[in-house]
Amino acid sequence: KLYDLYEVVGFTLNKEYIKSETYNGLPVYPAETLENYVDPEQVKFFTAVSWYQKLSRVRAEKFNFLKSKGFHFANLISPSSIIDSTDIGEGNWVFEQVYIAFNAKIGSNNVFAPKSSAANYSSIGDHNFIGSHSNVMGHVNIGDRCFIGGSSVIFNRTEIGNKCLIGAGSVVRKSLPD
């Protein structure tokens, strides 16, 4: 609703967490039986669960669970961001003033905090968090479920493995294993 990109039609939670049949005047559906209420071809989902807990584990689990049921995901992209790449997965959350360059490859279910960037020929896998003011610059490959702290810079044809944690303000120019 903030960016007026989509019409919100409902919410879903695991059945054990549902306390009411509605939230903000919209229905709340049990995730376990969601296909009984919602046609996967008629709506797109957005996973709004936390992105930093256990390197995005919960966010990845919810995304993969709904994908396994045939659901599709919307990208939530701030109108103030510039996305020049056409190689972007689904379910990405792109905050304000993010720049993703022409030849960057972006997977699915990533979070790009404000003023972060992914430069030409960079590749970012799935379920990652890229912190505010962080720059992924040129021929960098980042695996899945990584956390890149705010104001970090990764460059120089660097390979970042899966589940890596890069602290805020880091400068990374050498590859890191899983």
Side-chain angles (χ1 to χ4, degrees), residues 131-136 148-154 166-172:
S132 294
H133 300 273
S134 292
N135 295 294
V136 176
I148 312 299
S151 299
S152 294
V153 178
I154 305 170
I166 296 175
S170 296
V171 176
V172 180

Side-chain angles (χ1 to χ4, degrees), residues 18-36:
I18 295 176
K19 305 288 186 227
S20 173
E21 292 182 6
T22 63
Y23 177 75
N24 283 346
L26 296 171
V28 177
Y29 303 110
E32 297 84 351
T33 57
L34 190 58
E35 64 279 5
N36 295 336

Side-chain angles (χ1 to χ4, degrees), residues 10-121:
F11 300 92
T12 186
L13 290 169
N14 287 359
K15 191 175 188 174
E16 65 189 279
Y17 297 111
I18 295 176
K19 305 288 186 227
S20 173
E21 292 182 6
T22 63
Y23 177 75
N24 283 346
L26 296 171
V28 177
Y29 303 110
E32 297 84 351
T33 57
L34 190 58
E35 64 279 5
N36 295 336
Y37 303 94
V38 178
D39 181 354
E41 298 302 320
Q42 297 296 316
V43 298
K44 288 189 177 183
F45 279 82
F46 181 75
T47 306
V49 296
S50 173
W51 53 81
Y52 55 86
Q53 188 74 348
K54 306 259 187 208
L55 291 178
S56 300
R57 178 186 55 82
V58 174
R59 191 172 162 78
E61 286 172 359
K62 295 302 172 198
F63 180 89
N64 291 330
F65 173 76
L66 290 172
K67 285 298 286 181
S68 73
K69 290 181 166 273
F71 289 101
H72 303 281
F73 288 77
N75 285 316
L76 183 62
I77 300 173
S78 166
S80 70
S81 290
I82 299 171
I83 312 297
D84 288 335
S85 176
T86 58
D87 195 354
I88 296 179
E90 58 182 320
N92 292 296
W93 191 348
V94 180
F95 281 79
E96 291 75 18
Q97 299 178 1
V98 170
Y99 176 64
I100 298 177
F102 174 71
N103 287 318
K105 180 180 180 185
I106 308 300
S108 295
N109 202 35
N110 295 294
V111 174
F112 288 85
K115 298 184 180 180
S116 58
S117 67
N120 287 328
Y121 303 104

Side-chain angles (χ1 to χ4, degrees), residues 132-175:
S132 294
H133 300 273
S134 292
N135 295 294
V136 176
M137 300 173 17
H139 299 279
V140 169
N141 294 312
I142 296 177
D144 298 333
R145 288 185 51 204
C146 293
F147 179 93
I148 312 299
S151 299
S152 294
V153 178
I154 305 170
F155 67 105
N156 199 30
R157 299 181 184 273
T158 303
E159 301 279 335
I160 305 296
N162 297 318
K163 300 180 184 177
C164 288
L165 175 64
I166 296 175
S170 296
V171 176
V172 180
R173 61 185 183 98
K174 292 186 179 177
S175 295

